[in-house]
Amino acid sequence: MRRSAEDRLGRLRSVHRATRESFVLPLVFASILLVLTSTLGATADGLRGLLLSLPFGLACFALLAIPAIRRRGLCIEVHDCGLVVHQRRARAVIVFEDVDELWFELDRRSLPFGDLALIRAVRLVEHGGGPAHTIPLHVELGHEITRQIVRHCSLPLAADAEKALRAGETLTFGKVRIDAQGIILGKSRAAWKDLRLVRMQPGRIVFFRGQTVIPWRTVSLDKVPHPTVFMNLVRACAPRIEVDDRLGAQMG
């Protein structure tokens, strides 16, 4: 008799609650924006200006505040063999061995010292087209939760994927396919030996063929399942790699 998901979770390792910054700062910003728009409207045209600007201010407030309020009740329990995610009244139980696909949801930011890609959430799809679970990471030590998920759901696939390539199989990652000879994106194919450079950038991999100025293709890491496995296979196959990838460093 198959045990329930609850029975297969194993020992509780840690509990991670939403950080104060994840809901306090958006509420403060939303309040400031509401006051600012209302004040500007009143200053520009008195009561009429206030009545015109107030709906806009309230809409902006709701847009920022509602997700933050919902995030306040977020709590993630990490077990030896799975996760329990509490969001308000909802409770989701995910066992690692039931997971078929792992996807990253990324936040991309441009900073003075360069671009950055942060993992906002991890989406897990169960075997057989089962339910998909989105794990928000606006919690204490969210990066540790990501590491646990990757270690249990993606890392066990890495060795088998490398063996499959050596055996002549073609592996599919969403709309991208790779084999021992090359990579296929849509209807375009490039042999590994013909790639002049593969550049690992924050949240994406850029492929250059023939020269190193204009990319041949770019693959965003939130568009492929098991992105860490995909990155490792590309590293193993490509003749020349250049790394500028803080996302990869997060996972390392």
Side-chain angles (χ1 to χ4, degrees), residues 35-169:
V35 172
L36 182 61
T37 54
S38 301
T39 301
L40 289 175
T43 302
D45 199 11
L47 180 59
R48 182 172 178 272
L50 174 62
L51 293 176
L52 289 174
S53 62
L54 188 58
F56 174 75
L58 290 172
C60 293
F61 180 86
L63 187 65
L64 295 171
I66 291 175
I69 292 170
R70 290 176 176 171
R71 200 177 296 142
R72 185 175 183 179
L74 175 64
C75 178
I76 300 176
E77 300 173 5
V78 179
H79 293 251
D80 282 336
C81 302
L83 306 170
V84 179
V85 182
H86 302 268
Q87 296 188 80
R88 303 184 73 189
R89 297 181 181 179
R91 181 176 182 271
V93 178
I94 306 110
V95 179
F96 292 137
E97 67 177 13
D98 292 341
V99 173
D100 182 33
E101 296 179 357
L102 180 158
W103 300 76
F104 288 160
E105 295 183 6
L106 301 178
D107 273 337
R108 303 179 188 277
R109 300 178 185 177
S110 295
L111 302 175
F113 57 82
D115 294 336
L116 190 64
L118 301 175
I119 304 173
R120 178 179 69 249
V122 176
R123 184 161 54 89
L124 303 176
V125 182
E126 295 188 8
H127 291 287
H133 307 277
T134 299
I135 318 298
L137 296 173
H138 303 288
V139 295
E140 302 154 344
L141 299 176
H143 62 283
E144 291 297 334
I145 297 175
T146 308
R147 288 182 185 275
Q148 286 294 321
I149 294 172
V150 170
R151 185 165 73 87
H152 287 279
C153 299
S154 287
L155 190 58
L157 305 176
D160 288 341
E162 290 185 15
K163 289 179 182 177
L165 278 188
R166 289 197 295 268
E169 295 184 32

